[in-house]
Amino acid sequence: MAAHANFFDEVNQSFDVAATFTDYPKGLLDQIRCCNSVYRFDFPLRRQDGSIEVIHAWRAEHSHHKLPVKGGIRYSPDVYEEEVMALAALMTYKCAIVDVPFGGAKGGIRIDPARYTVEELERITRRYTHELVKKGFIGPGIDVPAPDYGTGEREMAWIADTYAALNPAQIDAMGCVTGKPVAQGGVSGRREATGRGLYFALREACQQTELMQPLGLSLGLEGKRVVVQGLGNVGYHAAKFCREGGAVLVALAEREGAIFCEAGLNEEAVFQHRKQTGSLLNFPGATNLPSSAAALELPCDVLIPAALEGVFTAENAPRIQARIILEGANGPTTPDADPIFRAKGTLVIPDIYCNAGGVTVSYFEWLKNLSHVRFGRMSKRHEQRNELQMLRAIETATGKRFTEEERAEIAKGPDEADLVNSGLEETMISALHDLLDTRRRHPGVPDLRIAAFLSAIHKVAHTYMQMGIFP
Ligand code: NAD
């Protein structure tokens, strides 16, 4: 999966198509699509063997129309400036689509994390954060990073700790980054959020006759055959929630190849097998496929790319047999593949909508950090008491007696995870209906991707117009 050089141009191609369905002045559209600032920097790392290596890093802030800006940090040997800018742009549109009040940003460090010790990764992460602080590219009201490809809770904890150490008097310092461990200011459900959001998006799409009928698919997720590429944070959790929701995981793909099993795979068993053997190949009961790319071409109902961008191109799109592509990764489809999917009648559920679960729950984490209180802390017992009173009233009125289990299940009072997950569910469901409405209101809009860009352009333009900058 080589990095493709024109990723930012490719994002703008979709933007330009969507913009033709608006009558905003060119200057406003130019302002929305350009990348407001890019900070590129290099710093030295002393390796454990004493040698010095120069590390290349970026932070791009695509749109300052709302602050803070928000977006993940990627560790990959293929990171390059255009990619970081493109991913930052996708964040702007994604936040707008799910009504998260942030501009878009993205960071990247050009390293293969597997080549460094944990101590070296910690030094790289802390130095990166230090550089961002120096230039004002991080802060709870300025720019709030999060995990992305190659990073997770551990890196976010290092970032939060470095930022807090450099800003000792700042009471909101923990809001400088999201995706932190729960014990260090994180929020329950953030780790699973992108995968869970993908599941909510797919489940809702599968309930829409207007989407399923043209595909010749039955309503509902039950029994749908799913292929997932990439068993990292996004892919693993998307696979888990889809399987638990009734789908069958017929194939899973990783760097080293893919496995196929008609009867269905269990992502956790495959994950453990990969951990023990170093490869997902030779999983008991499954057939090996020679490459990750081969798995993309299997017949299936739903294909979830959850690794890197640029996996569907004009070259392989004609051979993709999936009826639905659910874009877990950012930018998996190049613009020349989109018309091929349209012509084949493939439903592409676009990244800027369906993988927005992560940033949605990051928003909840940021709110928690600013309010300094866990969600549900003030209301859980109160709601539990109300629910118990309601049960007693029902018992008195009907003579029915609830069992202790029913009582515990109904009158539990929501905790943080319940509230976060229901906020995410609500967000993903209403955003899909927004996109479907946008498509209905603009009959020429060719697909959901362009509908998503169009919806985002309207929302960002509206903010600029409210500022009085544009008429
Ligand atoms: P991750 O590092 O946790 O996992 C990525 C996985 O992809 C790894 O297991 C890696 O081995 C695998 N992989 C790499 N090359 C592959 C190949 N050729 N075939 C199959 N698998 C391959 O990263 P992640 O956080 O899960 O991010 C994955 C994608 O989802 C990225 O495009 C990222 O930008 C996007 N995304 C992530 C989040 C988030 O919250 N983490 C949110 C939205 C979008």
Side-chain angles (χ1 to χ4, degrees):
M1 230 176 322
H4 55 301
N6 303 316
F7 194 5
F8 187 57
D9 289 345
E10 289 176 3
V11 172
N12 284 337
Q13 279 181 45
S14 298
F15 179 99
D16 291 343
V17 175
T20 62
F21 293 91
T22 74
D23 49 14
Y24 296 120
K26 180 176 178 306
L28 174 53
L29 293 167
D30 288 346
Q31 173 58 31
I32 296 172
R33 82 207 275 282
C34 70
C35 190
N36 290 173
S37 42
V38 184
Y39 178 29
R40 187 198 69 78
F41 49 104
D42 304 322
F43 54 84
L45 168 76
R46 185 183 295 280
R47 305 274 332 237
Q48 225 105 308
D49 65 7
S51 64
I52 303 281
E53 190 177 310
V54 177
I55 303 291
H56 307 289
W58 289 264
R59 184 75 185 165
E61 295 180 348
H62 173 260
S63 179
H64 293 144
H65 75 288
K66 287 200 172 167
L67 289 175
V69 291
K70 183 116 197 53
I73 298 179
R74 173 173 290 196
Y75 289 2
S76 155
D78 298 323
V79 164
Y80 63 107
E81 190 161 313
E82 282 261 317
E83 178 192 48
V84 180
M85 289 163 63
L87 293 166
L90 291 175
M91 285 305 298
T92 296
Y93 309 128
K94 193 180 299 187
C95 289
I97 287 162
V98 290
D99 290 329
V100 163
F102 298 142
K106 205 77 180 192
I109 305 185
R110 186 183 289 161
I111 53 166
D112 175 359
R115 283 191 47 245
Y116 298 85
T117 65
V118 172
E119 290 72 24
E120 288 171 338
L121 287 173
E122 179 172 356
R123 284 211 301 279
I124 292 170
T125 307
R126 289 186 183 277
R127 176 65 187 259
Y128 178 80
T129 310
H130 205 284
E131 294 293 331
L132 297 183
V133 170
K134 271 198 326 204
K135 294 283 189 214
F137 268 73
I138 185 170
I142 303 171
D143 185 340
V144 181
D148 190 69
Y149 187 92
T151 61
E153 289 174 16
R154 180 183 65 180
E155 287 74 17
M156 302 307 115
W158 289 331
I159 292 172
D161 185 59
T162 309
Y163 183 85
L166 293 169
N167 296 275
Q170 200 178 114
I171 191 168
D172 292 330
M174 280 301 115
C176 74
V177 65
T178 59
K180 303 180 290 292
V182 175
Q184 279 154 284
V187 74
S188 307
R190 172 60 183 91
R191 188 186 300 163
E192 306 87 346
T194 308
R196 186 179 260 125
L198 283 163
Y199 159 68
F200 286 143
L202 179 62
R203 189 191 64 185
E204 191 62 15
C206 288
Q207 289 300 342
Q208 309 310 310
T209 308
E210 65 182 289
L211 295 178
M212 292 304 108
Q213 209 166 40
L215 302 174
L217 292 176
S218 58
L219 289 185
L221 190 52
E222 191 68 37
K224 295 242 172 356
R225 293 150 43 87
V226 175
V227 173
V228 182
Q229 183 195 49
L231 213 52
N233 177 298
V234 174
Y236 174 89
H237 289 108
K240 171 180 151 65
F241 293 117
C242 287
R243 181 186 54 74
E244 289 174 356
V248 183
L249 299 174
V250 290
L252 296 172
E254 255 293 339
R255 297 166 194 265
E256 61 275 13
I259 51 172
F260 170 81
C261 177
E262 186 71 46
L265 294 158
N266 178 297
E267 72 296 330
E268 177 57 21
V270 173
F271 182 82
Q272 290 305 332
H273 168 80
R274 186 169 190 247
K275 211 165 138 185
Q276 278 154 22
T277 65
S279 166
L280 95 179
L281 297 175
N282 303 321
F283 182 75
T287 311
N288 290 340
L289 295 173
S291 68
S292 166
L296 302 176
E297 299 178 16
L298 288 169
C300 63
D301 298 311
V302 184
L303 175 54
I304 309 181
L308 281 170
E309 58 266 20
V311 291
F312 303 123
T313 61
E315 193 277 317
N316 68 354
R319 298 192 301 276
I320 304 295
Q321 301 185 61
R323 306 301 294 126
I324 303 173
I325 294 176
L326 183 71
E327 295 187 330
N330 284 308
T333 309
T334 57
D336 53 0
D338 266 331
I340 299 173
F341 287 138
R342 279 201 294 273
K344 284 161 58 135
T346 312
L347 172 67
V348 178
I349 307 182
D351 50 2
I352 51 172
Y353 156 62
C354 70
N355 73 27
V359 73
T360 301
V361 175
S362 275
Y363 169 46
F364 300 157
E365 179 176 334
W366 180 79
L367 291 174
K368 176 187 182 181
N369 294 148
L370 298 195
S371 62
H372 300 266
V373 64
R374 167 170 51 82
F375 292 112
R377 178 170 173 180
M378 309 291 281
S379 55
K380 182 178 164 77
R381 298 284 155 183
H382 177 74
E383 288 190 26
Q384 190 177 41
R385 255 193 308 277
N386 286 348
E387 287 155 0
L388 276 172
Q389 271 173 8
M390 181 74 76
L391 290 185
R392 276 191 216 109
I394 294 171
E395 284 178 337
T396 312
T398 62
K400 173 185 164 57
R401 298 291 304 165
F402 290 100
T403 64
E404 278 314 308
E405 290 81 55
E406 284 171 332
R407 203 176 286 275
E409 177 56 28
I410 300 168
K412 80 194 250 291
D415 56 25
E416 181 169 270
D418 297 322
L419 294 167
V420 163
N421 294 339
S422 81
L424 173 61
E425 184 173 9
E426 160 58 20
T427 302
M428 298 310 296
I429 291 175
S430 21
L432 179 68
H433 288 282
D434 253 18
L435 300 193
L436 294 175
D437 276 354
T438 304
R439 201 175 68 158
R440 273 181 225 115
R441 275 187 280 112
H442 301 271
V445 164
D447 55 25
L448 282 184
R449 187 184 317 284
I450 301 304
F453 270 90
L454 181 53
S455 166
I457 291 172
H458 281 313
K459 291 182 184 178
V460 179
H462 187 66
T463 306
Y464 274 118
M465 289 188 300
Q466 276 181 332
M467 289 176 194
I469 300 175
F470 292 91

